Amino acid sequence: GTGADNDLYISQAIVFIEDAIQYRSINHRVDFKSLWLYRWYYSRTCQCILSLTITVILALAFIEKPSSLTVTSDVRHRLPAWNPPCGLTESIELLCFLVFMVDVSVKSYLVGWEEFWKNKWLMAYILTLIVSLTDWIVSLSFFCAENVRIRRILRPFFLLQNSSMMKKTLKSINSTLPEMASVVLLLAVHLSLFTMFAMLLFARTKDGQQDKEWVVYFRNLPESLTSLLVLLTTANNPDVMIPAYSKNRAYSIFFILFTVLGNLFLMNLLTAIIYNQFRGYLLKSVQSSLFRRRLGIRAAFEVLSSLKETPANAQQSYVSVGALLQVLQKVEMDSRCKQGIMGSLKICSCDQLSAAQFQKLFEELDKDAIRQHPPSPEYQSHFMQKMQFAFGHPYFGYLGNVVALANIISICVVLVIDADKQPSERDDFFLGAINCFFILYYLLEMLLKILAMGLKRYLSYPSNRFDGLLTVILLVLEIATFSVYGFPHPGWRPEFMGLLSLWDMVRLVNMFIVFRFLRIIPNMKFMALVVTTLLDLVKNLRAFAGILVVVFYAFAITGIMLFKGAVVPPGNARPKHFFFFFLFQTSFYIKEVVVLYFKEKCDFMALFYGHFQAEIICCIFCLLSVNLICRWAKIYFVAWWLISSVIWVNLFVALLLENFIHKWDRRCHREPVSDIEYQRTVELIDVLEEPTEEELMEKLHQHPHLHLCR
Amino acid sequence: GTGADNDLYISQAIVFIEDAIQYRSINHRVDFKSLWLYRWYYSRTCQCILSLTITVILALAFIEKPSSLTVTSDVRHRLPAWNPPCGLTESIELLCFLVFMVDVSVKSYLVGWEEFWKNKWLMAYILTLIVSLTDWIVSLSFFCAENVRIRRILRPFFLLQNSSMMKKTLKSINSTLPEMASVVLLLAVHLSLFTMFAMLLFARTKDGQQDKEWVVYFRNLPESLTSLLVLLTTANNPDVMIPAYSKNRAYSIFFILFTVLGNLFLMNLLTAIIYNQFRGYLLKSVQSSLFRRRLGIRAAFEVLSSLKETPANAQQSYVSVGALLQVLQKVEMDSRCKQGIMGSLKICSCDQLSAAQFQKLFEELDKDAIRQHPPSPEYQSHFMQKMQFAFGHPYFGYLGNVVALANIISICVVLVIDADKQPSERDDFFLGAINCFFILYYLLEMLLKILAMGLKRYLSYPSNRFDGLLTVILLVLEIATFSVYGFPHPGWRPEFMGLLSLWDMVRLVNMFIVFRFLRIIPNMKFMALVVTTLLDLVKNLRAFAGILVVVFYAFAITGIMLFKGAVVPPGNARPKHFFFFFLFQTSFYIKEVVVLYFKEKCDFMALFYGHFQAEIICCIFCLLSVNLICRWAKIYFVAWWLISSVIWVNLFVALLLENFIHKWDRRCHREPVSDIEYQRTVELIDVLEEPTEEELMEKLHQHPHLHLCR
């Protein structure tokens, strides 16, 4: 009947508007039950459960069998890590798989059968689940004693497929790959030609004294390749040329040529290529989000316009305000936006809305909260008004900055004076008294500011919130100190009492004071620009970081599997593993590890001498002891270096350049308005192209499930 | 008289056109004598003498007293360097100063008195000369025994002031300085806040076992600063955090935070800022060159138009073709351009030229030689025609590439097989025979190509010239080998004979073969693009390299002066110096040196153990032995690191990005034409703006010496 039809149209409109708000695709089933399922699937609870499941399955690696999650990394001192019994982690895993199976079935159902076959991500999702479950069954049938666990390497895929941003980023990285491959090929040619040259240049001579270079770095082809590859990371830079250089200075020409060509030219060429590819990336991504939003709104308009019995020949379709209000009440959206749209509807005071009007109403969504700070309180007394003027003035804030700087300097002076004193000689009186004074000033500043601005206005500034929070923390710490250790007096160095020693308390207070000093940032123009750019960057970087985590996880698990037997710490027969080793190998760090690894090939003593304690080095040391593993390790390390240090860092630089230059350009055009905070979408709105009516309608007519009458 | 006036006008026109050709400013005196002086000053001979003088005065440092120009850098084995007697280098210096004095007086005279006072470069030139001469007199009066020689540090200024490109580049670097300073300030704030945090975090504890981190890296303020500064160069990356990390894994958060903020964000921010500033640099520089050219041509037109007695009221001024021909005959310019202009004049067949026509004639200058390869010879015989088709075909070239690759692979295989053999066991027969065969093939290829293309056409391709030259060299080497050692046969390993041993001859041949393999570059599209970009870059980089040389020289000389007494090699009392030490400290290298220096503070044994031989390490070792010097050395090294590694490398990256993205953009628009070689000016011509008539005339009326009638 028409009533049921109307209900369906209303539900469709609600879902389409929600799609528009969340920038989701509208290509899903639109019948009544599917819409209910769709809203349920994208409800906060369901998405939370899904995210939680992904977190849990990824975090399993921390407690699974070859785990090393302990406080100290020193293999000699630490307690054995907790070893979960067989079946515990496996049953958690099974629960996660069940959630994923529900997820994939709902998703597949919602996109429809035809779309399903075109969607490679869904197919891969199902395949991954099948492989994982098979592996899980194999694992259980061996009572958790099997060595190879493929499903662990596949885990990060669940993270990847759940984020549309990451999928998009991966796609654009994928389109850069051919050019990156060309540069990597060029690097390979560079490397191999120079390797041949080096082998001819530093050949073995009849005089054993003269061929130090040959003995150490160019003994055979793999060794020469390794030496020059490490030189490409600039890590063995002076060492590799010193034997040759001390024979004849002219040999340095070879190394300089190699470094300049490889490092300065080819490596930076990679930056240039990646930057060139990513130049429009930010804009394009926001543009496609905008298109999705407009499309969702337009789809809602179209279904709502079918609601009324308009004459079939009418030139334009209209939507009644009543229907829109009905829809709006059921849509889940930011209450501010909802009120804004309702308000506009009232002002408009028309009965019917055209497509353009409808679209215009929802432009409220693009605008972010233009934050109006609440007004200061109005005092009657003349004295209070003067106080308000004095302590509400920016100069009072500057005075606070100066006092904070003075505090920092005093801490610094005390640190320099106390640097060489024994802990027992130290007198905490001076620092205690000074800090007490400063913290009282901070408290006074906070209270006076609240007096001048009123609590609401005070809290509406982020810098004040930061300031106030730290002041309160400092106050609490100080009161706790005094209550335990009494007031400071000369020779104030009581023994250990309570949870923390006095010395630790003072250190903690000092750290917070140093941290509080960051409040100066908004007062310095250039710093503020840099910090906002960085914050923007972090926002845009989430997808990249996610992909890095995915790669990282896969590498770490592969490492554990590859080098499992090889990694036995000396004097401690328990097998160790690579997870943490990799967890803090930032791209910079890996360079050093590769070098260490390549340089000290199986030279145990040298390794022992320098860095006996650290687990990391232990791992490498152990790796070295198994020669068979060596070749695999080399390939593994080089691959990781290429991905983390070369490609990822360059991607990061490209993104930073893009963001910064974009921001910089705009800064020149527009005056910075400190009181009003815009958001990214609004900032870009003047650069973006609005999609045309034709594009929207063409896309709507391609919708696999929605069949518009006209 | 009018005749003398006419002669003056003709001379002026000649000089102005020459200025336009060389992109020089036209703001110089224009009377008869000055013009003669001007042409003499800018004649090839004079400019050569000037360049030679600058080279000589800069090269003096290689033979002056604390010199270490020897083949080996090993202080134990080498002979003492030649020590020139007092007065020898000083008299060469005086000669150079005399040339510079003539240079500065001619330059000052030519720009005129008023302009002289505005020209800061000329003033600085004179000041530098006065200081240098004073220092020279002091030096001689001490019989060359004085310690401080200021004039040596000032020397690179002579290089700087002689190049207009370098002056321009310096200006644009100068305009970037405020923003660079902001980032460096930000880095300093970052560093100092984290230093305070580190000192509070890694404080001395009562338990001596627990504070390894404090003992090694954070003992006091300067030490902590140094540790974190070196961490900023990523050089002590794993080492610095290992003691803390092995105590508690959570400490690594501090180091990761520091590295990510400092290295990933702030350092790359510097790249972004410098790139942002340099984005338009290339275009702007070519644009201003174009303006100078148009201005010179226009000035020539204006003076030539004064030549004729035109009616004062004439709307347009004209230049007679006869006068122009007279001028053209005396102008020194590329003969191809001259013929082109003459040819256009004949075709035009008009008596008078308007300003636009005049300007258009000289557009021939902007066009570079569009190289037409000479035609292939036409053979009568059918057989010869077939031969020509076969060997002129690109596939024959590809076959040559394949053969070259096969040769490379065969050499590689022999190298791998021979890697572990003793020199006495080695049999050179196999490699000798193979190379003999391949070189014969190369010869045949060259001859057949010449046959097919004709010698002229063959030589007109740069790749063929490269190919042919290397083939001839290989042939000569091979013939020399056979004439000395006979033809190869099994067991062919004769003893040392003649200039080089057979083994060295074979190695030399192999190196040339590897080098010859580079002929494949033009055949690979992406490689060709990269190589042309790099060549372009090198062209644009000359000014930057010049500035680097200037900074480098000043730093090296300062280093020699600062650390003179401190640098005494062990077991050898002769004072050494820093010149060569710096000459091959590329920006990458310095990082390592700084680290080594900071890490191994005065730990002599560790230094001795690892790198006994090299002079470089000796220098550092010696530096370390004098504690007073240490602080200076630290500041000196940090300054050098900032300039060479941070700022210069970032400038380079910015320039590379600029060049590459420019080239990349154009590649998409235009098909690459392999047969015709354009030059940069031509490539940019469609992007550049032609200066308007008004701009040119305004600039001409501002000329300090030329007073135009109208």
Side-chain angles (χ1 to χ4, degrees):
Chain A
T2 337
D5 265 8
N6 277 359
D7 277 358
L8 177 63
Y9 290 146
I10 295 276
S11 308
Q12 285 177 347
I14 292 170
V15 170
F16 286 148
I17 289 174
E18 284 176 0
D19 284 345
I21 293 168
Q22 306 287 338
Y23 301 112
R24 286 196 299 250
S25 161
I26 60 164
N27 290 344
H28 49 77
R29 285 179 198 262
V30 289
D31 57 291
F32 221 84
K33 274 185 191 164
S34 307
L35 284 178
W36 179 85
L37 188 64
Y38 187 81
R39 283 194 83 184
W40 173 80
Y41 178 74
Y42 280 108
S43 69
R44 200 161 291 173
T45 330
C46 272
Q47 290 298 309
C48 267
I49 291 173
L50 195 58
S51 307
L52 193 74
T53 315
I54 292 170
T55 315
V56 165
I57 203 167
L58 285 178
L60 272 185
F62 287 87
I63 57 159
E64 269 172 348
K65 209 176 170 191
S67 158
S68 61
L69 188 64
T70 48
V71 172
T72 170
S73 69
D74 191 335
V75 283
R76 297 165 309 166
H77 298 144
R78 73 183 189 207
L79 301 166
W82 177 63
N83 230 341
C86 176
L88 181 67
T89 58
E90 279 73 13
S91 41
I92 297 174
E93 244 178 323
L94 186 63
L95 276 178
C96 294
F97 288 148
L98 287 178
V99 173
F100 290 138
M101 279 187 306
V102 172
D103 178 45
V104 78
S105 358
V106 171
K107 260 190 185 164
S108 309
Y109 172 75
L110 283 176
V111 299
W113 193 245
E114 274 178 46
E115 292 293 301
F116 173 76
W117 289 111
K118 293 181 205 153
N119 195 328
K120 277 173 201 152
W121 280 104
L122 274 180
M123 312 271 276
Y125 197 177
I126 290 175
L127 201 73
T128 311
L129 271 175
I130 292 170
V131 172
S132 297
L133 273 173
T134 319
D135 191 51
W136 184 85
I137 291 164
V138 169
S139 191
L140 269 200
S141 61
F142 277 95
F143 296 104
C144 319
E146 90 293 0
N147 280 320
V148 183
R149 293 186 192 177
I150 307 163
R151 65 177 190 279
R152 284 197 193 164
I153 303 176
L154 296 178
R155 270 178 201 163
F157 179 83
F158 300 123
L159 176 64
L160 198 63
Q161 67 77 31
N162 194 41
S163 152
S164 63
M165 269 298 276
M166 271 161 74
K167 283 192 266 188
K168 219 188 281 174
T169 309
L170 205 68
K171 211 170 150 191
S172 66
I173 291 177
N174 200 34
S175 71
T176 323
L177 278 185
E179 261 132 25
M180 277 201 250
S182 312
V183 179
V184 172
L185 184 78
L186 220 61
L187 267 176
V189 170
H190 169 77
L191 204 62
S192 49
L193 283 187
F194 267 90
T195 304
M196 289 202 63
F197 240 98
M199 286 185 75
L200 290 166
L201 208 59
F202 308 113
R204 191 174 204 169
T205 52
K206 281 172 191 164
D207 175 13
Q209 289 292 325
Q210 293 287 308
D211 52 4
K212 286 239 167 78
E213 187 77 38
W214 175 80
V215 169
V216 186
Y217 297 106
F218 299 99
R219 185 178 274 274
N220 50 39
L221 191 69
E223 202 129 336
S224 310
L225 255 177
T226 307
S227 295
L228 288 182
L229 187 70
V230 176
L231 183 58
L232 210 60
T233 71
T234 75
N236 63 353
N237 190 321
D239 306 338
V240 73
M241 68 166 126
I242 280 176
Y245 179 76
S246 67
K247 197 166 138 197
N248 189 329
R249 286 179 197 275
Y251 280 123
S252 66
I253 295 169
F254 171 84
F255 292 101
I256 289 174
L257 214 65
F258 177 83
T259 310
V260 167
L261 272 179
N263 262 320
L264 268 182
F265 283 92
L266 292 181
M267 283 294 189
N268 287 329
L269 195 67
L270 208 63
T271 313
I273 280 175
I274 293 178
Y275 173 63
N276 194 44
Q277 287 285 324
F278 270 80
R279 258 196 302 170
Y281 169 74
L282 189 67
L283 203 67
K284 224 162 36 185
S285 124
V286 181
Q287 178 79 53
S288 79
S289 295
L290 184 80
F291 187 80
R292 280 189 166 186
R293 174 162 283 182
R294 296 285 181 266
L295 190 66
I297 299 292
R298 182 68 194 214
F301 175 80
E302 292 296 327
V303 292
L304 282 181
S305 74
S306 317
L307 205 66
K308 263 190 61 183
E309 285 88 39
T310 41
N313 289 359
Q315 287 293 67
Q316 276 194 299
S317 43
Y318 287 100
V319 164
S320 79
V321 170
L324 179 56
L325 281 174
Q326 203 180 337
V327 167
L328 275 180
Q329 266 155 6
K330 290 190 192 156
V331 166
E332 267 184 38
M333 68 196 287
D334 188 38
S335 63
R336 189 191 52 73
C337 279
K338 201 181 262 190
Q339 280 169 11
I341 295 174
M342 298 278 203
S344 312
L345 263 182
K346 264 177 209 158
I347 292 167
C348 159
S349 77
C350 45
D351 263 6
Q352 303 217 318
L353 295 165
S354 70
Q357 283 172 314
F358 194 84
Q359 202 65 271
K360 204 169 169 59
L361 266 183
F362 282 92
E363 269 171 20
E364 189 72 29
L365 291 174
D366 300 334
K367 292 175 202 150
D368 198 56
I370 294 176
R371 194 175 294 147
Q372 292 289 358
H373 296 288
S376 306
E378 281 178 29
Y379 292 108
Q380 298 299 325
S381 132
H382 194 66
F383 171 71
M384 288 300 278
Q385 279 177 3
K386 266 192 179 165
M387 291 273 283
Q388 189 172 23
F389 175 76
F391 300 122
H393 200 277
Y395 283 138
F396 187 60
Y398 299 152
L399 180 68
N401 290 345
V402 171
V403 172
L405 183 65
N407 195 354
I408 291 270
I409 291 172
S410 70
I411 293 174
C412 205
V413 167
V414 171
L415 278 177
V416 169
I417 292 171
D418 281 0
D420 279 326
K421 277 187 191 159
Q422 287 289 336
S424 53
E425 291 168 21
R426 221 160 18 206
D427 189 351
D428 296 332
F429 164 65
F430 184 64
L431 207 58
I434 275 185
N435 279 349
C436 181
F437 162 74
F438 276 115
I439 288 167
L440 279 179
Y441 175 82
Y442 296 153
L443 183 67
L444 194 71
E445 191 193 359
M446 187 176 76
L447 292 176
L448 284 174
K449 270 194 174 171
I450 291 176
L451 183 83
M453 301 169 110
L455 187 64
K456 273 195 178 170
R457 186 176 171 82
Y458 179 81
L459 287 179
S460 71
Y461 290 92
S463 61
N464 283 344
R465 285 201 296 274
F466 175 81
D467 213 29
L469 184 72
L470 281 178
T471 307
V472 169
I473 291 174
L474 285 174
L475 198 69
V476 169
L477 278 176
E478 201 73 343
I479 289 170
T481 311
F482 293 161
S483 65
V484 177
Y485 297 101
F487 284 96
H489 51 83
W492 189 49
R493 40 166 201 274
E495 284 309 294
F496 188 92
M497 282 167 83
L499 203 65
L500 286 166
S501 73
L502 176 63
W503 172 232
D504 287 332
M505 288 294 261
V506 171
R507 270 166 66 202
L508 203 62
V509 167
N510 286 344
M511 279 185 217
F512 277 115
I513 288 172
V514 172
F515 191 57
R516 189 179 172 280
F517 186 65
L518 292 180
R519 59 172 255 167
I520 61 153
I521 286 175
N523 290 122
M524 291 169 77
K525 214 172 167 184
F526 184 77
M527 261 194 179
L529 175 77
V530 167
V531 169
T532 51
T533 311
L534 294 191
L535 289 182
D536 260 23
L537 193 67
V538 168
K539 229 185 283 169
N540 293 323
L541 209 68
R542 275 178 308 184
F544 281 95
I547 290 174
L548 189 70
V549 167
V550 166
V551 173
F552 196 88
Y553 198 95
F555 255 93
I557 299 286
T558 316
I560 294 174
M561 271 170 32
L562 270 180
F563 309 122
K564 205 180 180 186
V567 182
V568 182
N572 189 334
R574 207 158 40 75
K576 309 260 345 72
H577 85 86
F578 263 80
F579 200 77
F580 275 94
F581 172 40
F582 277 98
L583 266 189
F584 87 104
Q585 267 184 3
T586 61
S587 48
F588 296 103
Y589 180 57
I590 185 72
K591 199 182 84 185
E592 307 297 324
V593 173
V594 172
V595 172
L596 203 70
Y597 172 73
F598 287 149
K599 206 159 70 182
E600 315 275 1
K601 226 173 267 139
C602 302
D603 181 1
F604 297 172
M605 279 318 290
L607 269 167
F608 257 94
Y609 168 75
H611 326 271
F612 182 73
Q613 300 181 333
E615 171 198 34
I616 310 155
I617 309 300
C618 269
C619 286
I620 296 168
F621 159 76
C622 307
L623 254 182
L624 301 177
S625 60
V626 183
N627 242 331
L628 221 164
I629 298 288
C630 267
R631 200 161 301 162
W632 282 108
K634 217 183 249 186
I635 293 168
Y636 179 78
F637 278 130
V638 168
W640 178 242
W641 169 72
L642 261 180
I643 287 173
S644 79
S645 182
V646 176
I647 293 178
W648 197 82
V649 167
N650 276 322
L651 278 174
F652 180 86
V653 171
L655 207 68
L656 191 136
L657 277 174
E658 173 79 20
N659 259 40
F660 187 79
I661 285 173
H662 184 81
K663 198 130 197 160
W664 197 269
D665 275 359
R666 265 190 317 97
R667 201 187 65 149
C668 301
H669 296 308
R670 195 195 290 186
E671 279 294 293
V673 193
S674 60
D675 250 11
I676 302 172
E677 286 168 16
Y678 289 91
Q679 229 206 335
R680 193 164 56 92
T681 35
V682 188
E683 286 180 338
L684 284 169
I685 215 88
D686 40 352
V687 197
L688 292 176
E689 276 180 36
E690 280 288 328
T692 64
E693 171 112 17
E694 287 73 36
E695 284 169 349
L696 288 176
M697 288 312 287
E698 196 197 325
K699 198 81 193 172
L700 269 184
H701 284 294
Q702 285 169 4
H703 194 290
H705 305 291
L706 186 71
H707 301 292
L708 292 173
C709 316
R710 293 173 311 122
Chain B
T2 335
D5 265 6
N6 278 358
D7 279 358
L8 178 62
Y9 289 146
I10 295 276
S11 308
Q12 285 176 347
I14 291 170
V15 170
F16 286 148
I17 289 175
E18 284 177 0
D19 284 344
I21 293 168
Q22 306 287 337
Y23 300 112
R24 285 195 300 249
S25 162
I26 60 164
N27 289 343
H28 48 77
R29 285 177 197 264
V30 289
D31 56 290
F32 221 84
K33 276 185 189 164
S34 306
L35 284 178
W36 178 84
L37 187 64
Y38 187 81
R39 284 194 82 184
W40 173 80
Y41 178 74
Y42 280 109
S43 69
R44 200 163 290 176
T45 330
C46 271
Q47 290 299 309
C48 268
I49 290 173
L50 196 57
S51 306
L52 193 73
T53 314
I54 293 170
T55 315
V56 165
I57 203 166
L58 285 178
L60 272 184
F62 287 87
I63 57 161
E64 270 171 347
K65 210 175 168 191
S67 157
S68 60
L69 188 64
T70 49
V71 172
T72 170
S73 69
D74 190 336
V75 283
R76 296 164 310 166
H77 298 142
R78 75 184 188 207
L79 303 167
W82 177 63
N83 230 341
C86 176
L88 181 67
T89 57
E90 279 74 13
S91 40
I92 297 174
E93 244 178 322
L94 187 63
L95 275 178
C96 293
F97 288 148
L98 286 177
V99 172
F100 290 139
M101 279 188 307
V102 172
D103 177 45
V104 77
S105 357
V106 171
K107 259 190 184 163
S108 309
Y109 172 75
L110 284 176
V111 298
W113 193 244
E114 276 177 46
E115 293 292 302
F116 172 76
W117 288 112
K118 293 181 206 152
N119 194 328
K120 276 171 201 154
W121 281 104
L122 274 180
M123 312 272 275
Y125 197 178
I126 291 176
L127 201 73
T128 311
L129 271 176
I130 292 171
V131 172
S132 299
L133 274 173
T134 319
D135 191 52
W136 183 85
I137 291 165
V138 170
S139 191
L140 268 200
S141 60
F142 277 97
F143 296 104
C144 317
E146 89 294 0
N147 279 321
V148 184
R149 291 185 192 178
I150 307 163
R151 64 176 190 280
R152 285 199 193 164
I153 304 178
L154 295 178
R155 271 177 200 164
F157 179 82
F158 300 123
L159 176 65
L160 198 63
Q161 67 78 31
N162 195 41
S163 151
S164 65
M165 269 296 277
M166 272 162 74
K167 282 192 267 187
K168 220 188 281 175
T169 309
L170 206 67
K171 212 170 147 191
S172 66
I173 291 177
N174 200 34
S175 71
T176 322
L177 278 185
E179 262 132 25
M180 278 202 248
S182 311
V183 179
V184 172
L185 184 79
L186 220 59
L187 267 177
V189 170
H190 169 76
L191 203 63
S192 50
L193 283 187
F194 267 89
T195 304
M196 288 201 64
F197 240 97
M199 286 185 75
L200 289 166
L201 209 58
F202 307 113
R204 190 174 205 169
T205 52
K206 279 169 192 165
D207 175 13
Q209 289 291 325
Q210 293 286 309
D211 53 3
K212 285 239 168 77
E213 187 78 37
W214 174 81
V215 169
V216 187
Y217 296 106
F218 298 99
R219 186 177 273 274
N220 50 40
L221 190 70
E223 202 129 334
S224 310
L225 256 178
T226 307
S227 295
L228 289 182
L229 187 69
V230 175
L231 182 58
L232 210 61
T233 71
T234 76
N236 62 352
N237 191 319
D239 306 338
V240 73
M241 68 166 126
I242 280 177
Y245 179 77
S246 68
K247 199 167 137 197
N248 188 328
R249 285 178 198 275
Y251 281 122
S252 67
I253 295 170
F254 171 83
F255 293 101
I256 289 175
L257 214 66
F258 178 83
T259 311
V260 167
L261 273 179
N263 262 319
L264 266 183
F265 283 93
L266 292 180
M267 283 295 189
N268 286 330
L269 195 68
L270 208 62
T271 314
I273 280 176
I274 293 177
Y275 173 64
N276 194 44
Q277 288 285 324
F278 270 80
R279 259 197 301 169
Y281 170 75
L282 188 68
L283 202 68
K284 224 162 36 185
S285 124
V286 181
Q287 179 77 55
S288 79
S289 296
L290 183 81
F291 187 80
R292 281 188 167 187
R293 175 162 281 180
R294 296 287 180 265
L295 190 66
I297 299 292
R298 182 70 195 213
F301 175 80
E302 292 297 325
V303 293
L304 282 181
S305 73
S306 316
L307 206 68
K308 263 190 61 183
E309 285 88 36
T310 41
N313 291 357
Q315 286 295 67
Q316 279 194 298
S317 42
Y318 287 100
V319 165
S320 79
V321 171
L324 179 57
L325 281 175
Q326 203 181 336
V327 168
L328 275 181
Q329 266 156 7
K330 290 188 191 159
V331 166
E332 269 186 35
M333 68 196 286
D334 188 38
S335 64
R336 187 191 52 74
C337 281
K338 202 181 263 190
Q339 279 169 12
I341 293 172
M342 298 279 203
S344 311
L345 264 181
K346 265 177 208 157
I347 292 167
C348 161
S349 77
C350 45
D351 263 6
Q352 304 216 320
L353 296 166
S354 71
Q357 284 172 315
F358 194 84
Q359 202 66 269
K360 204 170 168 61
L361 265 183
F362 281 92
E363 269 171 21
E364 188 72 30
L365 290 175
D366 301 335
K367 293 176 201 149
D368 199 56
I370 294 174
R371 195 175 292 149
Q372 292 288 358
H373 296 289
S376 307
E378 282 177 28
Y379 291 110
Q380 299 298 326
S381 133
H382 196 66
F383 172 71
M384 286 301 276
Q385 280 175 2
K386 266 193 179 164
M387 291 274 283
Q388 189 171 24
F389 176 77
F391 300 121
H393 200 275
Y395 283 139
F396 186 60
Y398 298 152
L399 179 68
N401 290 345
V402 171
V403 172
L405 182 66
N407 195 354
I408 290 271
I409 291 172
S410 70
I411 292 175
C412 205
V413 167
V414 171
L415 276 177
V416 169
I417 293 171
D418 281 0
D420 279 327
K421 277 188 191 159
Q422 288 288 337
S424 54
E425 291 168 20
R426 223 161 16 207
D427 188 352
D428 297 331
F429 164 65
F430 183 63
L431 207 57
I434 275 185
N435 279 348
C436 181
F437 162 74
F438 277 115
I439 288 167
L440 279 180
Y441 176 82
Y442 297 154
L443 183 67
L444 194 70
E445 190 193 1
M446 185 177 77
L447 292 175
L448 285 175
K449 270 194 175 171
I450 291 175
L451 183 81
M453 301 169 111
L455 188 62
K456 273 195 180 169
R457 188 176 170 82
Y458 179 82
L459 286 179
S460 71
Y461 289 93
S463 61
N464 283 343
R465 285 202 296 273
F466 175 80
D467 213 29
L469 184 71
L470 280 178
T471 307
V472 169
I473 291 174
L474 284 173
L475 196 70
V476 168
L477 277 176
E478 202 72 344
I479 289 171
T481 311
F482 292 160
S483 65
V484 177
Y485 297 102
F487 284 97
H489 50 85
W492 188 50
R493 42 163 198 273
E495 285 307 295
F496 189 91
M497 282 166 81
L499 205 64
L500 284 166
S501 74
L502 176 62
W503 172 232
D504 287 333
M505 287 292 263
V506 171
R507 272 165 65 202
L508 204 61
V509 166
N510 286 343
M511 280 184 213
F512 277 114
I513 288 172
V514 172
F515 192 57
R516 189 179 171 279
F517 185 65
L518 292 180
R519 60 172 254 168
I520 61 153
I521 286 176
N523 290 122
M524 291 169 77
K525 214 172 169 186
F526 185 77
M527 259 194 180
L529 175 78
V530 166
V531 168
T532 51
T533 311
L534 295 190
L535 289 181
D536 259 25
L537 193 67
V538 168
K539 229 186 281 169
N540 293 322
L541 208 68
R542 274 179 308 184
F544 281 94
I547 290 173
L548 189 70
V549 167
V550 166
V551 173
F552 195 89
Y553 197 95
F555 256 92
I557 298 285
T558 315
I560 295 174
M561 271 171 32
L562 271 180
F563 309 124
K564 205 180 180 187
V567 183
V568 182
N572 189 336
R574 207 159 39 76
K576 307 258 348 69
H577 86 84
F578 263 80
F579 200 77
F580 274 95
F581 172 38
F582 277 97
L583 265 189
F584 88 105
Q585 267 184 3
T586 61
S587 49
F588 297 103
Y589 180 57
I590 185 73
K591 200 182 83 184
E592 307 298 323
V593 172
V594 172
V595 172
L596 202 71
Y597 173 72
F598 287 149
K599 207 160 68 180
E600 315 276 0
K601 228 173 264 138
C602 301
D603 181 0
F604 298 173
M605 280 317 292
L607 270 166
F608 257 93
Y609 168 73
H611 326 272
F612 184 72
Q613 301 181 333
E615 171 198 34
I616 310 153
I617 310 300
C618 270
C619 286
I620 296 169
F621 160 75
C622 307
L623 254 182
L624 300 176
S625 59
V626 183
N627 241 331
L628 221 164
I629 298 288
C630 267
R631 198 161 303 164
W632 281 109
K634 216 181 250 187
I635 293 168
Y636 179 78
F637 277 130
V638 169
W640 177 241
W641 170 71
L642 261 179
I643 288 174
S644 79
S645 181
V646 177
I647 292 178
W648 198 81
V649 167
N650 275 322
L651 279 173
F652 179 85
V653 171
L655 208 66
L656 191 135
L657 277 174
E658 173 79 20
N659 259 39
F660 186 78
I661 285 173
H662 184 80
K663 196 128 197 161
W664 196 269
D665 276 358
R666 264 191 317 96
R667 201 188 66 149
C668 300
H669 297 308
R670 196 195 290 186
E671 279 294 292
V673 193
S674 61
D675 251 12
I676 301 171
E677 286 167 17
Y678 289 92
Q679 227 205 338
R680 193 163 57 93
T681 36
V682 187
E683 287 181 336
L684 283 168
I685 215 90
D686 39 353
V687 195
L688 293 176
E689 279 179 34
E690 280 288 330
T692 64
E693 171 112 18
E694 286 75 35
E695 284 169 349
L696 288 176
M697 289 311 289
E698 196 196 326
K699 197 82 192 171
L700 270 184
H701 283 295
Q702 286 169 3
H703 194 290
H705 305 291
L706 186 71
H707 302 292
L708 292 174
C709 316
R710 295 172 311 121

